[in-house]
Amino acid sequence: MRLTIVGHLKGQLTAATRIAMDRGAAVTHAESVDQALRILRAGRGADLIMIDVALDVGELVQALEGERFHVPVVACGVDNDARAAVAAIRAGAKEYIPLPPDPELIAAVLAAVADDSRDMVFRDPSMVSLVQLATQIAASSASVLITGESGCGKEMLARHVHAKSPRAKAPFVSVNCAAIPEQLLESELFGHEKGAFTGASARRIGKFEEASGGTLLLDEISEMDVRLQAKLLRALQERVIDRVGGGKPVPVDIRVIATSNRILAEEVRKGTFREDLLYRLNVVNLKIPPLRERPADVLALATHFASKYARINGFPPRPLSAEARGELARARFAGNVRELENTIHRAVLLASGPEIGVEAIRTPDGAPIAAQGPAARAVETAEQVTRSFVGRTLADVERDLIFDTLGHTRGNRTHAANILGISIRTLRNKLNQYDDEGFEVPPPQVGVAAA
């Protein structure tokens, strides 16, 4: 994790720096707000900024917002200066750390605010094989496309690929293409020269240059405008970028990992995604199954999150009760790992006994998860399925149903046709059509006849 500390390095702030470095942070120092901004503009990057409350915290927060640097700010100061702490939080700081520094408190802030201590937790065979594949291809420089539903862990897997690659000690830089307005994303990716547009008061290095030598994650790339996709394609092919307002190409050395919760082949047919860019990105595809298809992962992740949030909140560790584990195993978790994590975090806060009981496992609206009996869960599941069809064409739904059925029959066409209630000839004609349209038709698995 990259930490920038703003303020004069004297005594207690020096001790905080040493603690952060001992916890694995790469620390950069700036004596003033202006110097901190120059560091960020130069592309040295930061995942977290700690600033002495003796400086103007509000000035830093406003400057970061004005120049679109998305970096959390934590204030620090002497522990008896309550007024300064309140002022710092009101000015936009996410947390306040009293000085002299406490090692565990700094470790918790680094983990909670910068969220850099995320672990890959998996037990399900489908995830075991996927992570093995990710580890295998990590050593290459090939572009990787990670697909899967929202909240299933795409960024986690991207970080795993980076950590297992020869670029592990270089920066890992993430850009959320869906969160940045279209007119600003080009500058965010490629940087700009001073005066390139209104508000460009100084040269700024973009994420491509910031990630040079390391890995650039383009999160939810399907949200990127087609015009910008053309510039991205050139950067991937030629390994050079053009800053906005610049006249000289800048070479970059990066590995690109992209994620999407959409089927990009369908976006290509709609005309919202470039086919040549898809081919360039999709050298290796890592498809993460949703949590509902990874039953062995649910309890492993729940146990991990229970331990994590007990530690962060200063609570004694509590195991999940047998009844709570049973309810978690039956839940659908439409929001995948992200929903499960929030559920367990909530349960840690609500639990009062020696175990996390089923009464602490609640939905976001506060209803006990146990109140959702089999009938209620069946109704909810049916509603979720129905909602998932809205906005999709009949042809899309039919194709997915055929592919899912083939998955259950391990590719056996005759069995799939019987389940679907159609003739084997109709099924084969459909599969030939999908193959002609560029879809990957599930093949028969080893030892299974196509019939």
Side-chain angles (χ1 to χ4, degrees):
M1 191 200 73
R2 300 167 299 170
L3 171 65
T4 295
I5 294 184
V6 186
H8 297 290
L9 287 180
K10 295 179 181 179
Q12 295 165 348
L13 199 54
T14 301
T17 302
R18 289 173 180 162
I19 293 171
M21 293 177 69
D22 289 342
R23 299 287 176 168
V27 179
T28 301
H29 173 238
E31 290 192 353
S32 66
V33 170
D34 286 342
Q35 187 178 359
L37 292 172
R38 287 196 296 271
I39 288 172
L40 293 174
R41 293 186 194 117
R44 293 167 66 179
D47 300 306
L48 178 66
I49 293 177
M50 287 177 57
I51 180 172
D52 190 338
V53 290
L55 300 178
D56 192 334
V57 178
E59 179 189 0
L60 174 63
V61 171
Q62 290 176 12
L64 293 174
E65 292 176 352
E67 298 194 33
R68 305 187 308 281
F69 288 113
H70 307 287
V71 186
V73 174
V74 171
C76 53
V78 292
D79 53 6
N80 61 353
D81 195 352
R83 183 174 299 176
V86 172
I89 297 297
R90 287 178 175 172
K94 299 293 184 183
E95 299 284 351
Y96 176 81
I97 297 179
L99 299 176
D102 176 77
E104 293 306 316
L105 178 58
I106 288 184
V109 169
L110 293 178
V113 177
D115 201 15
D116 198 46
S117 63
R118 293 165 289 186
D119 301 314
M120 286 285 289
V121 177
F122 55 93
R123 296 290 184 275
D124 198 85
S126 63
M127 281 300 293
V128 171
S129 60
L130 181 67
V131 174
Q132 287 175 342
L133 176 59
T135 304
Q136 178 182 335
I137 59 92
S140 73
S141 59
S143 298
V144 179
L145 178 62
I146 302 176
T147 57
E149 295 180 4
S150 294
C152 67
K154 296 188 289 295
E155 183 174 346
M156 286 283 293
L157 190 59
R159 289 181 179 274
H160 175 81
V161 172
H162 172 73
K164 297 298 181 180
S165 75
R167 300 172 179 264
K169 294 184 179 180
F172 177 92
V173 178
S174 176
V175 180
N176 188 332
C177 300
I180 302 174
E182 175 188 325
Q183 63 271 23
L184 302 179
L185 184 56
E186 182 176 5
S187 171
E188 188 79 12
L189 290 174
F190 304 114
H192 62 253
E193 297 290 348
K194 180 178 180 180
F197 51 82
T198 302
S201 57
R203 170 189 282 185
R204 175 173 172 180
I205 299 302
K207 298 301 185 183
F208 265 84
E209 290 180 79
E210 185 180 327
S212 194
T215 302
L216 176 64
L217 172 63
L218 299 176
D219 196 18
E220 301 303 346
I221 194 171
S222 56
E223 304 301 320
M224 183 181 292
D225 181 71
V226 174
R227 181 191 62 82
L228 190 53
Q229 290 175 25
K231 193 168 183 178
L232 172 60
L233 180 63
R234 176 176 180 266
L236 294 177
Q237 289 175 332
E238 301 180 19
R239 299 294 168 178
V240 296
I241 58 103
D242 296 309
R243 297 192 194 114
V244 178
K248 182 180 179 181
V250 179
V252 290
D253 170 27
I254 61 170
R255 181 198 205 150
V256 170
I257 300 178
T259 72
S260 178
N261 60 9
R262 300 188 185 186
I263 301 174
L264 291 184
E266 293 185 2
E267 301 305 310
V268 168
R269 282 189 292 278
K270 294 177 184 176
T272 60
F273 202 83
R274 292 180 63 106
E275 186 174 24
D276 46 6
L277 178 57
L278 174 58
Y279 292 146
R280 176 63 62 174
L281 291 170
N282 196 21
V283 177
V284 179
N285 179 237
L286 301 175
K287 184 177 181 180
I288 304 180
L291 188 59
R292 60 183 173 276
E293 296 177 9
R294 298 150 45 188
D297 282 352
V298 173
L299 295 182
L301 285 163
T303 301
H304 167 74
F305 291 139
S307 175
K308 171 184 174 180
Y309 287 109
R311 183 176 66 254
I312 288 176
N313 289 284
F315 295 160
R318 296 187 181 98
L320 290 157
S321 71
E323 189 179 4
R325 292 167 67 88
E327 289 296 334
L328 290 171
R330 287 188 287 271
R332 292 284 295 173
F333 293 111
N336 292 295
V337 179
R338 186 181 295 123
E339 180 185 352
L340 173 62
E341 181 173 8
N342 292 338
T343 299
I344 299 301
H345 190 176
R346 189 182 308 115
V348 167
L349 300 177
L350 295 177
S352 56
E355 295 183 317
I356 298 176
V358 70
E359 71 282 352
I361 310 294
R362 294 177 176 267
T363 61
D365 61 4
I369 194 171
Q372 300 180 15
R377 280 195 292 269
V379 171
E380 180 182 8
T381 301
E383 291 177 350
Q384 290 172 348
V385 170
T386 302
R387 286 195 297 268
S388 70
F389 291 152
V390 176
R392 306 185 64 201
T393 66
L394 181 60
D396 288 344
V397 174
E398 180 185 61
R399 182 183 62 250
D400 288 349
L401 177 60
I402 289 174
F403 284 175
D404 287 345
T405 305
L406 282 172
H408 285 292
T409 64
R410 301 175 62 196
N412 187 297
R413 271 59 171 161
T414 300
H415 292 170
N418 290 336
I419 293 172
L420 293 166
I422 59 177
S423 69
I424 185 64
R425 180 177 179 180
T426 299
L427 176 60
R428 286 173 177 161
N429 288 340
K430 290 285 184 183
L431 296 180
N432 288 336
Q433 173 190 334
Y434 300 150
D435 187 60
D436 291 341
E437 292 174 351
F439 290 98
E440 185 176 347
V441 176
Q445 296 183 21
V446 176
V448 178

